[in-house]
Structure formats: C-alpha cells, structure tokens
Amino acid sequence: MTSTIATRAPAGIAPSGGRAGSIGLWLVMLAQLMLVLDATVVNVALPHIATDLDFTPAQLSWVLNGYAVAFGGILLLGGRIGDVFGRRRTFLVGVAVFTVFSLLGGLATSPLLLVIARALQGLGAAFAAPSVLALITTSARDDGARNRALALFSAVASMGGALGLILGGLLTDIANWRWTLFINVPIGVVVLVAVPRLVAETPRRPGRFDILGAVTATGGAVAIVWALLQAGDAGWSSPRTIGGLVVGAALITVLAFTERRVAHPLLRPQLLRSPSRVAALAAMAATYGGMLAMFFLMVQYLENDLHLTPLLTGLAFLPMPLSIFAMSRIVPRLVERFGAVRLVVLGTALRVVAFLPLTQLSPNTPFAIVMVALLLTGISAGMTFMPLTTLALRDVEPEHAGSASGLFQTMQQLGGAVGLAIVASTYAAFASPGDFLTGGRAGFWSATTLSVLALAAVVGLVIRPRKVA
C-alpha cells in the first residue's frame, strides 16, 4: 500500500537547492538529537546533582520525569500549533524555549528551580519535535526516500538515549553536571541562526486550538506519573497513589469524551481507527518505557555496585548506539524485503531476551553478560524503531502529519515517563540501603514485563496480516 504522505511533493525542505535542503535537513536532525539526548544526558549525573543540590531520592526522579511529562503531555498541542502556524516557525520557537531553559537549568541553585527548568525544556521540546517528524515525512518523494528518512530519524531517536549517557558521563567527568545542560546552548543557537535560511516554511492551515484537550492530556499525564513515582514510598494501596491514579484516569476520560465532539480536536479520533497504528503506538510506549527504565537502573548498577566513574559508565553503553547505527543502515532494505511487521516482532522478542539476564544480576555476574545485553538491546532498538514509526504514520494525510507525529512522540515520551515511574517505584519498594541488587533485580523484572507487553501489542499485527500488509 502506498502512503499518502510518500506520494506528495516535498513541502518542508527548501527547494532552492539539493545541497541547501540536505544541510537544512541535517540541522533539523541535529535539533532532534539534542531533544532526545536531553532525556538521558543528565541520567549519569544524577548522583552528582543529588549531592550538589540536596535532592531527596523521590525528588531526584523528577529531574528526568519533569522533562518527559511536559514533553509528552504537550506534544499533541505542539503538533497542532505546527499545522496551523507553520512547522518551521513552531520548530524554531520550540528550539528557542528549549535553549533558554537549558541555560537556566544549568544555573539552577535549588531542586525546585532545576525541576521547573527541566519541565520548561520539555515544553520547548514539545513544540519543536512534532515539526521535525512532520517536515521529514512531508519531504519524501516516494516510499524508498521516506523509509530512508525515517530510518535516519529513528536512528537519531533511538541512539540519542544511549549517546546521552555517554555524553553525560564525559561532561560530568571533565567539567561538572551543569554542562549536561549548558551543551544545548551552542547547538540551539546554530539551529536558530541557520535553519531559517535553509528550510522553507510550510503553508498555514486554518483551525482552532483545543485548550481543554491540552489541559486534560497534560494534567492526566502528570497525575498518573506522580502517583506511580511516589508509590514506592507511600505504597500502591495508599490514598495518595490511588487518588492520583483516579484523577489521572478521570482527566484522560474527559479527554477521550471531548475529543470526539470538538471541531478541531487535539487528538484526532480518526488516527486511532487503524489497528496497526494503535498497535504501533502501544508497542512504542511500552518499548521506550522499558528502555528508559533500563538506562536508569543500569546507571545505578554500574556506578553504585561496580563503582565505575561517570565517564566509564557512559562508555559502557557504547555497544548500544553503535549497533543502532549499524542497523539503521540496513533496516530500510529489510523493511522493503520482509515488511515492517516481521521486523517489529523479531526486534521486540530480541529485547525480551536481552533484558532477561539483567533480572539475575549478582555480585559474580560477568561483565561480558551485561555488555551482551546492551548490544542486543541496541540491535533490537535499531530493528524496531523505524518500522514502528512507519506503521504509526502510514496513510496519514499531509495536513494531519503534525498531529500524527505529535501523537506518536506523545506515546513515546509518556510511555517513557510511565515506564520509568513504574520501574523506579518497584526498585524503591524492594531496595535496601547500600544494596542495589535486591531492588535492581525487581526493577529489571518490571522493565522486562514492559517489553513483554510491547511484544504482545505487535503480535496483534501478525493476527491481522491483511490490515498491515
């Protein structure tokens, strides 16, 4: 089946010259890499941040999830704004906000100021990221070009998390944790100066904004993540945990009810009528949640149990970005030959296999087993991210590309936030002072369970082969 997006003429990249357009595309990808890196670049530095700013363990998780919740909760609105006001314009506004609050976050002197800065970074990312994917998808001339562009985007998206850990370790070792945020400033400035000259604006499309949808989507996400994060301390049956989950579910219910009745919905119900798209969205949420949680736990294991430095901890993740990059070079051809569904199923099953040894970590576990697990995780990510992106954006009209890409990245970011919250709470519930492994093994079991849920979602694609052929 030919994608509607793939058959349309380029709409986002400057038509004045192939080289200029290519440079513009690479700069847009650089900005996307910056946004993805920021989800994990501070991960390795968390012990140093906690010591420097006197974070409690419960507060510390918000350094990661403050960004992820704001990013995921506002992505749909960011996609809609890009459709209405132009994707390049919205992209640049988002990058500007992100850059300013990266600087202010690096200058933070208290836990509250840092968490606020991280949340506002997420706000900027939510405006910029949907326009990135929309510009890429609407610029493809055919299925082959579209698959190659999506492979590059998927490589950036999936490599960014692991590269963020390496970069964060390097910056923390040679300077301090603040440079994990300061590094965004020169990148943001280059993008803001160069992109307007190399990337053409997309046409504005009429429409209104669904404010109620934005409030309920963001509020529901914050309530659910907050409830899950504090469940490890308060207990899963505590009034706070149950109350937060009930409030979050109520807001999501209001969102689902209103989106079917407003003239210009934030979340277009039509996008959820495709079984393959729904399965791809669910699989992406569970996949990213499991991977982000694995990063969080593995950093604790490498630094607290094996006593590695931040730099060595980051370098330990090197097999992941290398394998993801290698897979990104061949996945487009594999998709054309075997189909996206087969690759997704195989890659998701491989991730379950990679995570299982981590549930059995002990003081005598050979380091080679950890490295093999990270290598297999990278291969599985490279094998699944691009096909999942293809399935999620297939047959979306160009005028709704921003909304569709916003929905896809919303599921990715909120899946990461919810997955991290579940695993962090499980880890905290079983943790003993000075002993990572007891809580860590329980946390890795939770991450493995998320990967099994992703596998269950994509198995549904096999059951409906005619729908997603």
Side-chain angles (χ1 to χ4, degrees), residues 160-251:
L163 288 175
L165 295 169
I166 297 172
L167 181 61
L170 178 63
L171 293 172
T172 303
D173 256 8
I174 65 175
N176 58 56
W177 67 265
R178 297 181 185 276
W179 280 94
T180 62
L181 298 170
F182 288 152
I183 191 65
N184 295 324
V185 177
I187 298 174
V189 170
V190 169
V191 171
L192 290 171
V193 171
V195 165
R197 303 179 181 182
L198 299 172
V199 179
E201 182 59 280
T202 58
R204 296 188 182 190
R205 303 186 184 277
R208 298 179 180 178
F209 298 111
D210 179 15
I211 302 301
L212 179 60
V215 171
T216 53
T218 305
V222 170
I224 290 173
V225 172
W226 175 83
L228 294 173
L229 279 174
Q230 56 86 51
D233 294 329
W236 289 94
S237 60
S238 71
R240 283 189 296 169
T241 302
I242 295 175
L245 293 174
V246 169
V247 170
L251 289 171

Side-chain angles (χ1 to χ4, degrees), residues 5 63 78 99 123 158 162 203 208-209 216 255 275 280 290 319-320 326 334 394 427 431 449:
I5 291 176
V63 177
T99 303
L123 171 66
S158 51
R208 298 179 180 178
F209 298 111
T216 53
L255 172 67
M320 286 190 63
L334 294 177
R394 179 172 288 168
Y427 165 67
T449 301

